[in-house]
């Protein structure tokens, strides 16, 4: 889930205990989830389990807990370690991964094409001359970019924690995992499905598709080819494809049968594909009843910023919910908003606790507020906490 999120580097460096679980080793053994670790609880309006094979998105529990970039509250994001931990914690879906291409056309999993903040590339003198400044969706961005590396070169790098100021505990795992390709993720999904005896779901995102298409590296066709090659390109396939660019999802709708979702940033923002094509519409236009009905002609759901579900006031406190959930459901769309995190800087002001800027706040209170709006699921960096909050909600 994408670049359109607000700055995540605010706050101090305070350490905190993990909520709701004792996490052991690289994969992680999770304790104390009252049965939710196996994702067996039934939800309001939803089925049991992590989504039965062939059942499609309607087989997923409601509300659905999506491991945002894996279990990125506990491991460096978009690594097989993060994905594995999210699954071990019981996440119903793992967001594996944000897809960007290499110079030689492979799709790899990184939050952004710029990898200076998520890998140890700066420590590799052989790549010092690859550092440059580019315009990424209209923003001057300096660093190292995946499209300037071959896959073999990227495989010499190792992942690091993206927001160490907020998550110093994650830096323990810096250097442990390499950058995964999406093909490796698809094989991992199959292996985990076989070993667990239940379908594992993933939720990849196409990052900056217009930017890459203009560089001669179109990503939709590459993703469609991989999905077809692995037999995961059907309506009921356990792979939901998402993007912040509506025309990218429209293109995917013509290439594959997978469930699709349009990601939505702040109401006043414009998707970059709209900017490039001269389409004057903003996200505010897309979330009107008419705009949602149009999205429903080519997508199955939306991934709105949480502020589109419940806005915050000038003090950062939640106000009244909007009509987005009702309007989207009337259009036949599911809603999986992003992203709920345990740490104080990311929570609505009324749920922040203590004086440590990066301590955990009353995230369970925040979950209650969002679940009460009727959303179908939520992206979270801490899937174990999300599952406990979900259990509270469905049993209340």
């Amino acid at each position: 889930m994408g670049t359109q999120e607000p700055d995540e580097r605010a706050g101090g460096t305070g350490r905190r205990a993990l909520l709701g679980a004792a996490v052991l080793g690289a994969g992680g053994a999770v304790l104390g989830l009252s049965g939710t670790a196996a994702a067996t609880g039934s939800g309001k309006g939803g089925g049991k389990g992590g989504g039965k094979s062939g059942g499609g998105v309607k087989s997923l529990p409601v509300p659905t807990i999506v491991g945002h970039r894996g279990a990125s509250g506990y491991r460096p994001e978009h690594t097989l370690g993060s994905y594995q931990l999210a699954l071990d914690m019981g996440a119903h879906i793992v967001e594996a991964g944000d897809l960007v291409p290499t110079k030689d056309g492979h799709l790899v999993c990184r939050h952004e094409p710029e990898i200076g903040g998520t890998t140890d590339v700066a420590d590799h003198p052989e790549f010092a001359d690859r550092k440059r400044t580019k315009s990424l969706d209209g923003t001057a961005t300096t660093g190292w970019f995946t499209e300037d590396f071959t896959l073999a070169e990227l495989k010499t790098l190792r992942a690091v924690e993206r927001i160490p100021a907020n998550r110093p505990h994650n830096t323990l795992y810096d250097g442990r995992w390499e950058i995964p390709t999406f093909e490796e993720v698809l094989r991992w999904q199959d292996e985990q499905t076989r070993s667990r005896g239940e379908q594992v779901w993933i939720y990849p995102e196409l990052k900056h598709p217009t930017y890459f298409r203009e560089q001669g590296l179109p990503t939709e066709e590459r993703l469609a080819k991989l999905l077809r090659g692995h037999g995961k390109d059907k309506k009921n396939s356990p792979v939901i494809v998402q993007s912040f660019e509506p025309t990218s999802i429209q293109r995917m709708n013509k290439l594959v049968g997978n469930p699709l979702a349009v990601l939505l940033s702040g109401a006043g923002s414009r998707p970059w594909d709209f900017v490039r094509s001269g389409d004057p519409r903003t996200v505010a236009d897309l979330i009107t009843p008419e705009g949602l009905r149009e999205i429903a002609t080519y997508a199955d759901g939306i991934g709105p910023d949480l502020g589109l579900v419940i806005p915050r006031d000038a003090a950062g406190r939640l106000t009244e919910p909007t009509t987005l959930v009702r309007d989207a459901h009337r259009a036949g769309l599911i809603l999986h908003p992003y992203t709920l995190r345990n740490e104080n800087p990311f929570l609505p002001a009324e749920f922040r606790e203590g004086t440590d800027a990066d301590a955990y706040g009353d995230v369970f209170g925040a979950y209650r507020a969002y679940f009460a709006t009727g959303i179908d699921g939520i992206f979270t960096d801490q899937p174990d906490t999300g599952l406990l909050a979900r259990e509270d909600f469905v049993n209340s």
Side-chain angles (χ1 to χ4, degrees):
M1 191 70 62
T3 20
Q4 283 83 348
E5 297 179 44
D7 184 13
E8 297 166 349
R9 291 179 171 79
T13 59
R15 294 181 180 271
R16 81 290 297 154
L18 303 183
L19 262 183
V23 183
L24 308 174
V30 182
L31 308 178
L33 287 183
S34 303
T36 58
T40 56
S42 60
K44 294 181 179 179
K48 293 184 178 181
K52 297 186 182 302
S53 180
V57 292
K58 294 189 183 300
S59 72
L60 290 164
V62 176
T64 306
I65 300 301
V66 183
H68 184 234
R69 307 173 196 162
S72 56
Y74 307 125
R75 299 289 187 270
E77 65 192 28
H78 287 313
T79 59
L80 287 176
S82 183
Y83 300 158
Q84 186 67 47
L85 182 55
L87 201 56
D88 290 346
M89 285 181 162
H92 303 130
I93 313 178
V94 180
E95 189 193 28
D98 290 341
L99 304 182
V100 293
T102 65
K103 183 178 182 179
D104 48 350
H106 296 274
L107 291 179
V108 296
C109 304
R110 285 292 85 193
H111 172 49
E112 287 292 330
E114 198 291 301
I115 56 174
T118 61
T119 74
D120 61 358
V121 64
D123 298 329
H124 287 251
E126 68 273 26
F127 298 135
D129 63 350
R130 306 283 178 93
K131 188 175 185 180
R132 59 202 62 192
T133 299
K134 298 188 179 187
S135 178
L136 183 60
D137 289 4
T139 300
T141 304
T142 300
W144 291 263
F145 295 80
T146 59
E147 67 268 25
D148 296 329
F149 292 79
T150 65
L151 178 60
E153 289 173 331
L154 285 181
K155 284 294 188 179
T156 68
L157 307 180
R158 293 297 179 266
V160 300
E161 171 56 36
R162 185 175 60 86
I163 48 173
N166 298 104
R167 292 172 176 167
H169 53 281
N170 283 12
T171 63
L172 174 66
Y173 305 100
D174 284 356
R176 180 169 291 269
W177 291 288
E178 63 182 29
I179 298 174
T181 67
F182 188 59
E183 188 151 26
E184 289 168 344
V185 166
L186 291 171
R187 291 198 295 267
W188 169 81
Q189 180 188 24
D190 288 339
E191 291 165 1
Q192 292 299 311
T193 295
R194 285 192 297 269
S195 66
R196 293 167 186 272
E198 64 178 3
Q199 183 61 61
V200 169
W201 281 71
I202 59 174
Y203 214 141
E205 177 189 343
L206 286 163
K207 299 304 294 273
H208 307 288
T210 294
Y211 168 82
F212 286 118
R213 183 168 292 276
E214 290 175 348
Q215 296 188 60
L217 290 169
T219 50
E220 293 93 349
E221 289 79 2
R222 286 171 167 80
L223 176 56
K225 182 178 180 180
L226 283 172
L227 293 174
R228 286 194 295 267
H230 286 260
K232 298 179 181 181
D233 62 327
K234 307 297 190 295
K235 177 181 179 181
N236 289 336
S237 295
V239 182
I240 307 172
V241 179
Q242 55 182 337
S243 176
F244 277 100
E245 297 188 12
T247 59
S248 181
I249 294 301
Q250 289 173 320
R251 184 171 282 111
M252 288 302 300
N253 185 47
K254 296 177 181 178
L255 293 170
V256 296
N258 294 73
L260 306 171
V262 175
L263 298 171
L264 300 166
S265 190
S269 65
R270 286 173 69 198
W272 184 247
D273 53 336
F274 285 11
V275 174
R276 295 296 288 165
S277 68
D279 188 328
R281 290 179 296 167
T282 66
V283 167
D285 298 306
L286 297 179
I287 61 174
T288 63
E290 180 182 7
L292 292 167
R293 286 193 296 270
E294 181 191 354
I295 290 175
T297 64
Y298 58 86
D300 302 89
I302 56 174
D305 180 280
L306 283 168
L308 298 177
V309 177
I310 310 179
R312 300 187 192 187
D313 63 20
R317 300 175 63 88
L318 294 182
T319 60
E320 291 298 313
T322 68
T323 62
L324 179 59
V325 174
R326 181 199 68 191
D327 295 340
H329 284 163
R330 285 178 176 175
L333 296 167
I334 60 173
L335 297 90
H336 292 157
Y338 66 93
T339 303
L340 199 51
R341 301 176 171 94
N342 290 0
E343 294 95 348
N344 276 327
F346 310 120
L347 291 171
E350 66 265 43
F351 299 112
R352 298 171 193 163
E353 295 185 337
T355 58
D356 182 348
D358 290 309
Y360 284 176
D362 177 19
V363 69
F364 291 109
Y367 274 108
R368 283 194 298 273
Y370 290 117
F371 285 157
T373 66
I375 58 175
D376 300 285
I378 196 164
F379 283 78
T380 175
D381 287 7
Q382 290 92 0
D384 56 337
T385 309
L387 287 161
L388 286 171
R390 176 189 184 277
E391 184 176 358
D392 291 344
F393 176 71
V394 299
N395 291 325
S396 63

